[in-house]
Amino acid sequence: MTQQPCELEEDRFAVTFHSFGEATALPMHIQKASFQVFPVVAIAQNLVRLDLTVVNNVVEGDIAAKLRMPLPAGATICRFEFLREGQWYPAVPVLAKKAKEVVYKEKEKGRKVAAAAQVQGNVFEIEVFPLKYKSPSQCRLWYSHGDPRLPFNFDSNTEVEIKRQQEQDAETAAEALGACIGDCFGQRHFACHVPFVQAPEVQAPRRIAVLWDTSGSQEGDHSRRFERLRGLAGQCPSATFDVWTFGISFRRELEAVGVDEVIAIVMAIAYDGGTDLTLVPSIVAAVGPVDAILLFSDGMDSLDRRLQVPEAASPIHAVVDHPNVNLSNLSSLCLATGGHLLKGDYLPMLRPQTLLTHVETDQDDEAFFDTESSFKCCPDHRLRLQWPVGQEGLWLCGTLGDVSKLSGKLTAGGLTKEFHFDLSTAQVLQSSAAPLLGYLFAREQYKAVQRDGAAMGVDLTSVCAELATRYGFCSSEATLLMLYDACQFTENQIDCPKDHPAHAAWKASQVLSGPPDLTGDLGQPKTKQQMEIVTTLAQQLNTYMKQPILPTEVEGGSGSRACGGGGKGGGKGLGAAPRMGAAPRMAMARLCRAAPPPQAAENCMAMARSESEDDCEDSAMCGAALGACEAEAECMAMASESEEGCMAMDNEDGCHASLSRDGSEDGGSVSGGRKDCESYVQGKEQGYLEVLRKALTNDSWPEAYKQLRGENSASPSFFLYSADLLLSHLPQNAEVAARICTNCLEINLQDAQMMRSTGYFLIKAGQAPLALAVLDRVREIAPVEPQSFLDGALVRALDLLSGKICEAQLRKALELIVVVLTHLWADRFQEIEWPALILLQMLIQVGDREGIKDLWPAALDTTLRSSEFSAGLVVWLGWDTDNTDIDLHVVEPSGNEVYYSNPRSSIGGHLSKDFTQGYGPEVYLCKNPPAGQYTVKAKYYASHQRSSLTGATSAVIWALQGGPHPELKFDTVRLDRNKEMMDVMKVSVAGCSGGGGGGGCSQPRQFHPHSFGIH
C-alpha cells in the first residue's frame, strides 16, 4: 500500500541513509516500512514498532551504511532487532564508548555488526555492516511516545504499511483513572498518569531577558515566535526586554526595550556558526537580576555537551518549537530553575510552576522503610517532594510489589489537587504492550537523574548509563549493539541476552573457557610481547640521538638508502624494508593488464601503492628493469583513472537527498532547522569561491556569503572552503572565519573526519580552546584510532611548547600519548609509536625545565626515555582522512631533499616511516639543524577514501623547534590535486646549532598557497 494521506503531513521527519567515513558514499533504498502502534490509552502513551526493509541496489560488494532517524521529541529507541536467516536477533545495551570500539573492531575483522545510537537530542542513527548488493535486509526498532501518528516521510516508491492494534478495554482503562499494570523485565510494573493542573494566578514579570540562539541551524521563519512575543507583551504592558545573542560566543544586543525593538533586532540577525551551550551559565551571570529568562534554542550543543544549570538563576523558560530538539537538555534547565517548557504560546510563563508535593501509598510502616522493598516508585514516595510537572502531565510509575493504592498531590500556586489510583483494578496490559511500562519507569528515572545532576552541578552520567543498560534503551551513555555470533560476545566480553539465538553457544563457551583476556586486541592494552616493538623504537630513537649523522651518510647515496628503507611504502623507522624486484614488478604489471576492468583496477592500485615511479631513481634498478618501469607507469595511469572514476561515483550521491521535519506539535515551528549533510561534488567549489573572491575585493562579502550560504547550507565543504578563503585574505577576521567553519558542527552529523577538519582549521584561526573541545569530541566518537589521541596531545602541546605552561594540560597530553604507546591499533597504523615517542620526550623536557616533578608516566618503563634527547627541528605532517597516502618532503638549506626514498641526510635529517594508509603522521627530525631555510612540501600520493563530505583532504603541519625556548607552530592546507607536489611551509632556523638550539630561531610562518584551491 502507499503512504496514507490521513497522517499529519507537516510533522513528518525524513528517514535517510548515509555512509560516512567509508570508501564509498551510497544512496540506499527503503523497499518497505511497516509502522505498528500499540496504544496504552490509560496513560496516554504508545509503543511503536517500525520494520524496515532496506537494500543496496547501486554498488556491488559489501558496504557499510548508516540510517539517520529523527524521532519525535522525547522519544527514544528502546529495542533494536535484525533479521538473519529467518530469526530475529536482538541488540544488547552497551556503554556508548565500548559500542564504538566494538563496531570499529568488528568491521576491521570483516564480521557482521550493527548498532543503534543516539546522535544528539531526538536524532538517532543505525549503522549496518555489511549491507550486501541487491540483498534486502530487515531491521526492526521500537520506541515509545505520546503521539500515535506516523512521524516519517518516505520516498514515493517505498511501500508503507500502517497498523494499529485495537484499543481494547478502553472503558476499563477510563474507570481505572489512568492506571495500568503489566509484566516486563522480570517484574510487574505500573504507571499512573497525573494530568497537568494550571495555577490560577498570573504573575506578570517586569523585566525579561531574551537569549536568542544565532547558530546556523536556527535560521528560518520566526513569524510565529514574533506573534507569541507580542502576545506575551500584551499581557505584561509594563515589561521591558534585554536581548542577548549567542552561538560560539555571546553579547548583549539591547537593554530595557519594548517588544518591537526586540523583534527588529532579531530580524536583522545573521545566523551562522555552531552552538556552544556551555556559555549559558556565563550569559545568565552577565544578564544579572531579571524576573524571567526566555530561551530560544533547540538545546543541541555542537559537541553534544550537557547544558549546566546556572547558579541562582532566574526562572528560565525554553521555547520548544524546533524540528530537532534536545528536550532533556532544555527540560532539565527549565525544571531546575522553576521555568516552563513552552510548546505553544508563551503565557504559561506568567503562572507559578506546578509541583508534585506528595505521593502516598497503602504500604505499612515496615515496608515503607525497607530499602529492599519490591515496590519502587518514581518520583520516590519516601521523599519530601517539590517535583516540577510539565504541561504533558506526570507519570507515577515503578515496580508494583505489594502496593494496591496510590495517590499524588499537586500544588499549582494557591491551588491544590489530589489524584487517587486503585492499582488492584487497573488495566492489565498484554505482553506486546507491557514493556512500555518498564521503558516509562526507566525514562522517568533517567529524566530525574539528569535534572538533579544539572541542578546540583554533579556528574551523574554513571547513574544514567546504568538505567539505560538495565532497561536497554538508547541514550547518550548507552548504545544498542548488534552482535550475531557467540565468539563476538566472548571476544568483546559482552553478555549474550537469553533471547538471542547465539545464547546457548555463548553460555557453553563461558563454561569451557571462561572470559577471554582482551589484552592485545584492537584498542586494548598491548601484550608484553607487543610492547617490545615500542621498546625497539625507543632504542632506535636513542641511537639516533647519540649519533644523528652516520659516518657513511652521503646525501642521495646508497648509505641513506640502506638506512631508510628505500622506495615508496618501504620506510620502517630506522630499519630497511624489502623491495620488489624487477621480475615480480613485471609480473604484476602483466596481471594488471590481463585482468577484467574491476580486478585490473584493484591489482593496479595494489602495485601502485607498493612501488612508485620514484623507485626508478635507483640507476642500478632502472638499468636492469626498464621494461618493468614502463609497465608500471602504464599500470599507474590505469589505476589512477580507475580510482578517479570510483571517486566520481562515490561523490555523486553521497548523502542521499532528504526532507526535513517542518512543523511543531502545535503547527507553529521554526522552519529550517538542522539539516542533513550534502556530499562534496568535485569542482563545485570553483564556482562559489570565485564569487566570494570578487566579494572580498569590492567589500560585499556579507551579502555574497549570505546568498551562497543559503544555497549550500548542508555542505561541510562549502563552509571549510569559505572559511579558509576569508582567513587567507583577511587574517584579522579570524573569529568570523572560525564561526563560518563551525557550521560544519551544526549539520546533523557526528563524523570524525569532518570534525578533525574543523578542529584543524580552528587551530589555524587561533581558536585553540574551541579546537581542543572539538578534537576531544573526536576522541569520544573515534576511540580506536591513534590519531584521536595524538591530536589531543598536539593541540595541548601548542600552548605548552610556546611557553604557556599548565601542569594539568601537560599531564593530560602525556596521558594521551601513553594510550598511543601502550594500546594496539590496526595494522595500517604500524609504528605510530615513533612520532608519539618524539612528542613524549619533548613534553617531558618542557616539564623538567619548569620544575614539574614526577612527570614520567607510571605506565611506561623508564627505559623508553631518551637521556640524550634533543630536537632542534621536528616537522610533523598528518592528515584528516583515513586510508590516505600523503608524503612529507623537506628541502634542507643545502638543497638536499629528504623524503621516503632519501630518508637520511648528511646534517642528521631523519624521516620516519612512510605511512601509505591511515592518517600519518610522517615526521622529519633533525637534532642539530644548521641555520637556513627549510622548505616543507607535501605530495598527495593517493587516497582510497576521499571524504564525501569535506571534499579535499586537510593536511596538517606542525613545526616544532626545540632548545631552551621551544616553539610549536601550526598550519593546515587542503590537498585536492592528486599526486601534485605542494609547498606548504617554510621554516627559518637561525643560530640553532649544537644541543638542539632553537632559542633564537625565527618563527615558522603560515603559508597559504593558491594551488590548494584557495586562491
Side-chain angles (χ1 to χ4, degrees):
M1 63 177 287
T2 57
Q3 192 163 310
Q4 296 183 3
C6 61
E7 302 295 338
L8 190 63
E9 297 291 341
E10 67 271 20
D11 276 5
R12 296 254 178 89
F13 288 114
V15 178
T16 57
F17 271 100
H18 314 279
S19 181
F20 302 123
E22 299 294 333
T24 51
L26 306 170
M28 308 308 301
H29 175 56
I30 304 176
Q31 287 186 336
K32 182 178 180 180
S34 177
F35 184 81
Q36 186 167 2
V37 180
F38 301 90
V40 184
V41 178
I43 57 171
Q45 287 288 291
N46 302 275
L47 188 61
V48 181
R49 191 183 82 187
L50 181 63
D51 290 76
L52 296 173
T53 303
V54 299
V55 64
N56 158 29
N57 55 10
V58 177
V59 175
E60 297 184 15
D62 297 348
I63 56 92
K66 293 184 180 180
L67 168 63
R68 176 65 40 74
M69 178 170 291
L71 293 181
T76 188
I77 296 176
C78 49
R79 186 172 173 85
F80 174 47
E81 300 170 291
F82 234 90
L83 186 64
R84 180 187 179 191
E85 298 174 354
Q87 289 183 292
W88 283 102
Y89 284 69
V92 58
V94 174
L95 293 178
K97 180 179 182 295
K98 183 176 179 67
K100 290 184 177 73
E101 295 171 351
V102 173
V103 169
Y104 183 93
K105 289 190 290 186
E106 292 300 310
K107 289 168 65 177
E108 286 285 329
K109 297 174 182 178
R111 300 196 298 205
K112 294 181 179 180
V113 68
Q118 182 180 19
V119 177
Q120 188 179 173
N122 64 324
V123 181
F124 294 82
E125 185 174 83
I126 296 175
E127 182 172 4
V128 182
F129 175 82
L131 205 58
K132 296 181 178 295
Y133 180 56
K134 291 191 175 179
S135 178
S137 297
Q138 289 181 258
C139 66
R140 172 183 292 168
L141 62 90
W142 302 73
Y143 71 87
S144 60
H145 196 252
D147 192 340
R149 296 172 295 183
L150 175 67
F152 308 112
N153 267 329
F154 295 98
D155 292 338
S156 59
N157 58 350
T158 298
E159 179 184 355
V160 178
E161 183 180 40
I162 301 175
K163 301 177 183 178
R164 299 191 188 280
Q165 183 180 347
Q166 291 294 325
E167 299 177 2
Q168 299 175 350
D169 301 319
E171 293 183 3
T172 304
E175 292 174 0
L177 298 175
C180 57
I181 59 176
D183 295 322
C184 58
F185 300 98
Q187 292 181 292
R188 172 151 288 196
H189 284 68
F190 74 92
C192 309
H193 183 241
V194 179
F196 175 72
V197 174
Q198 181 174 271
E201 305 96 324
V202 173
Q203 301 171 347
R206 299 183 61 84
R207 187 173 182 182
I208 302 171
V210 172
L211 275 56
W212 197 280
D213 187 345
T214 61
S215 59
S217 63
Q218 304 302 293
E219 187 171 21
D221 180 7
H222 298 290
S223 56
R224 181 63 63 88
R225 287 182 171 181
F226 299 155
E227 177 185 334
R228 289 169 176 170
L229 272 172
R230 287 193 172 97
L232 174 65
Q235 296 296 315
C236 313
S238 60
T240 61
F241 297 85
D242 300 344
V243 180
W244 295 76
T245 56
F246 69 96
I248 60 172
S249 60
F250 70 91
R251 69 177 184 180
R252 181 165 58 190
E253 304 285 352
L254 293 172
E255 184 176 10
V257 298
V259 68
D260 290 333
E261 289 90 343
V262 172
I263 293 172
I265 192 67
V266 169
M267 290 180 67
I269 285 173
Y271 294 88
D272 204 19
T275 311
D276 183 359
L277 288 182
T278 65
L279 295 173
V280 169
S282 298
I283 301 172
V284 171
V287 164
V290 293
D291 298 316
I293 297 173
L294 194 54
L295 175 64
F296 293 87
S297 175
D298 60 9
M300 297 177 75
D301 182 86
S302 293
L303 300 177
D304 199 22
R305 292 165 293 195
R306 292 261 184 228
L307 203 164
Q308 297 298 318
V309 177
E311 295 182 4
S314 302
I316 299 177
H317 309 278
V319 174
V320 181
D321 59 359
H322 217 265
N324 296 333
V325 63
N326 191 325
L327 196 61
S328 63
N329 245 349
L330 296 178
S331 177
S332 297
L333 182 65
C334 294
L335 298 180
T337 60
H340 294 271
L341 284 174
L342 304 175
K343 298 182 179 180
D345 62 47
Y346 306 158
L347 299 185
M349 65 178 284
L350 304 181
R351 300 179 185 274
Q353 198 175 46
T354 300
L355 300 171
L356 174 71
T357 56
H358 185 68
V359 174
E360 188 171 345
T361 72
D362 60 355
Q363 271 188 322
D364 58 35
D365 291 343
E366 182 178 355
F368 181 87
F369 291 106
D370 183 5
T371 57
E372 301 300 321
S373 170
S374 56
F375 175 77
K376 304 291 183 184
C377 183
C378 183
D380 194 329
H381 64 296
R382 295 167 298 186
L383 301 179
R384 290 185 177 181
L385 297 171
Q386 291 288 304
W387 196 278
V389 181
Q391 292 181 334
E392 70 281 1
L394 173 79
W395 287 270
L396 302 176
C397 49
T399 55
L400 187 58
D402 57 357
V403 169
S404 60
K405 289 184 169 52
L406 187 70
S407 64
K409 180 187 292 186
L410 296 189
T411 300
L415 178 65
T416 298
K417 190 168 184 179
E418 293 188 5
F419 296 86
H420 301 274
F421 304 94
D422 186 349
L423 299 177
S424 64
T425 61
Q427 177 189 4
V428 179
L429 299 184
Q430 297 179 358
S431 59
S432 58
L436 175 62
L437 301 180
Y439 298 138
L440 184 62
F441 180 38
R443 187 185 74 188
E444 292 304 300
Q445 291 182 89
Y446 185 88
K447 287 164 56 178
V449 170
Q450 282 191 318
R451 185 199 66 211
D452 292 345
M456 296 184 294
V458 178
D459 184 2
L460 298 177
T461 300
S462 60
V463 180
C464 292
E466 194 276 331
L467 282 168
T469 53
R470 188 201 316 167
Y471 282 90
F473 62 87
C474 279
S475 71
S476 57
E477 299 85 11
T479 294
L480 298 184
L481 176 67
M482 180 70 68
L483 301 175
Y484 296 95
D485 300 320
C487 61
Q488 292 179 298
F489 288 97
T490 300
E491 291 177 17
N492 292 295
Q493 292 189 339
I494 296 173
D495 291 345
C496 183
K498 291 182 179 179
D499 58 345
H500 194 286
H503 178 76
W506 169 79
K507 193 72 174 177
S509 69
Q510 295 296 104
V511 173
L512 292 174
S513 60
D517 182 3
L518 294 184
T519 304
D521 197 5
L522 285 181
Q524 299 297 321
K526 290 184 174 83
T527 63
K528 184 177 181 180
Q529 184 178 5
Q530 290 164 344
M531 278 300 296
E532 290 177 1
I533 300 172
V534 182
T535 302
T536 299
L537 291 172
Q539 290 170 349
Q540 292 175 348
L541 179 59
N542 200 40
T543 299
Y544 167 81
M545 288 298 161
K546 290 178 179 178
Q547 191 175 21
I549 303 175
L550 297 179
T552 58
E553 203 102 60
V554 179
E555 292 174 358
S558 59
S560 64
R561 185 68 64 94
C563 291
K568 182 69 184 158
K572 299 285 185 182
L574 291 176
R579 294 164 52 80
M580 184 182 290
R585 287 155 56 112
M586 294 178 70
M588 179 69 81
R590 285 194 296 271
L591 175 64
C592 290
R593 292 194 297 270
Q599 185 60 44
E602 183 177 343
N603 293 342
C604 288
M605 286 309 299
M607 178 177 175
R609 301 208 29 100
S610 65
E611 295 287 324
S612 79
E613 66 273 18
D614 294 305
D615 290 318
C616 295
E617 294 169 3
D618 190 324
S619 58
M621 189 65 144
C622 288
L626 179 61
C629 287
E630 291 172 350
E632 184 181 348
E634 177 182 343
C635 189
M636 286 287 295
M638 182 178 178
S640 178
E641 180 179 339
S642 172
E643 183 183 21
E644 289 173 3
C646 289
M647 293 304 180
M649 176 190 69
D650 296 346
N651 289 331
E652 180 178 356
D653 293 295
C655 304
H656 197 43
S658 65
L659 302 174
S660 60
R661 188 184 191 211
D662 186 11
S664 68
E665 295 178 3
D666 72 332
S669 79
V670 178
S671 62
R674 294 173 187 265
K675 299 185 178 181
D676 250 331
C677 67
E678 173 186 299
S679 281
Y680 170 73
V681 178
Q682 187 73 33
K684 182 180 178 181
E685 72 277 5
Q686 298 304 324
Y688 58 68
L689 286 177
E690 184 60 31
V691 174
L692 290 175
R693 288 188 196 98
K694 291 180 180 178
L696 285 169
T697 61
N698 58 25
D699 295 328
S700 60
W701 170 275
E703 297 79 11
Y705 170 72
K706 182 178 180 179
Q707 179 177 344
L708 289 169
R709 186 190 184 285
E711 299 169 4
N712 299 277
S713 60
S715 170
S717 59
F718 166 76
F719 295 115
L720 288 168
Y721 276 115
S722 300
D724 208 352
L725 176 66
L726 179 63
L727 184 63
S728 63
H729 281 71
L730 298 173
Q732 66 273 23
N733 283 356
E735 289 188 14
V736 178
R739 185 183 182 189
I740 291 172
C741 178
T742 58
N743 281 288
C744 296
L745 306 176
E746 284 291 280
I747 295 172
N748 211 358
L749 178 65
Q750 296 282 305
D751 178 75
Q753 188 271 339
M754 183 189 71
M755 295 180 75
R756 281 194 178 103
S757 297
T758 303
Y760 296 156
F761 180 84
L762 289 171
I763 300 172
K764 180 176 179 176
Q767 305 296 314
L770 183 53
L772 178 62
V774 172
L775 293 174
D776 280 350
R777 176 61 179 162
V778 171
R779 194 170 69 254
E780 294 176 10
I781 63 178
V784 196
E785 291 183 340
Q787 189 70 19
S788 302
F789 297 87
L790 281 179
D791 281 341
L794 279 166
V795 72
R796 288 170 170 84
L798 185 64
D799 276 348
L800 295 168
L801 294 173
S802 299
K804 301 175 183 177
I805 304 300
C806 170
E807 183 175 345
Q809 291 288 37
L810 175 57
R811 292 189 182 277
K812 183 64 179 180
L814 293 173
E815 175 189 322
L816 298 175
I817 295 170
V818 168
V819 174
V820 178
L821 293 172
T822 60
H823 286 60
L824 187 71
W825 314 106
D827 288 344
R828 64 182 177 278
F829 303 124
Q830 188 179 6
E831 292 195 22
I832 192 71
E833 298 89 353
W834 175 266
L837 283 167
I838 293 174
L839 185 57
L840 171 70
Q841 312 293 340
M842 296 188 75
L843 292 180
I844 289 292
Q845 284 189 339
V846 169
D848 288 345
R849 278 193 293 267
E850 296 297 322
I852 301 175
K853 303 297 184 182
D854 302 321
L855 265 185
W856 186 258
L860 299 180
D861 195 289
T862 54
T863 58
L864 298 182
R865 184 164 188 175
S866 176
S867 58
E868 300 185 38
F869 182 85
S870 177
L873 178 62
V874 177
V875 178
W876 179 302
L877 173 70
W879 46 92
D880 64 1
T881 310
D882 198 2
N883 289 300
T884 298
D885 182 5
I886 298 176
D887 296 323
L888 173 62
H889 293 239
V890 176
V891 181
E892 296 172 335
S894 66
N896 176 61
E897 186 165 345
V898 177
Y899 65 112
Y900 58 83
S901 283
N902 183 36
R904 298 294 297 270
S905 73
S906 62
I907 65 171
H910 169 266
L911 187 65
S912 65
K913 172 189 173 179
D914 175 23
F915 279 96
T916 59
Q917 301 183 72
Y919 303 94
E922 296 188 6
V923 178
Y924 169 87
L925 172 64
C926 190
K927 182 176 182 179
N928 303 311
Q933 181 170 272
Y934 293 73
T935 301
V936 181
K937 299 182 178 184
K939 182 176 182 180
Y940 193 132
Y941 188 82
S943 177
H944 295 309
Q945 185 179 293
R946 179 174 298 172
S947 169
S948 63
L949 297 175
T950 60
T953 292
S954 291
V956 292
I957 308 96
W958 306 79
L960 304 91
Q961 295 190 45
H965 305 288
E967 295 178 348
L968 188 153
K969 295 298 177 181
F970 174 89
D971 200 6
T972 178
V973 291
R974 292 175 61 74
L975 300 173
D976 53 12
R977 293 191 178 184
N978 197 24
K979 298 183 182 173
E980 287 192 14
M981 185 76 72
M982 309 290 184
D983 285 6
V984 294
M985 182 182 284
K986 295 185 186 296
V987 182
S988 295
V989 175
C992 289
S993 60
C1001 298
S1002 61
Q1003 298 178 356
R1005 67 182 181 86
Q1006 290 189 340
F1007 194 75
H1008 304 280
H1010 64 81
S1011 55
F1012 291 112
I1014 308 298
H1015 305 304

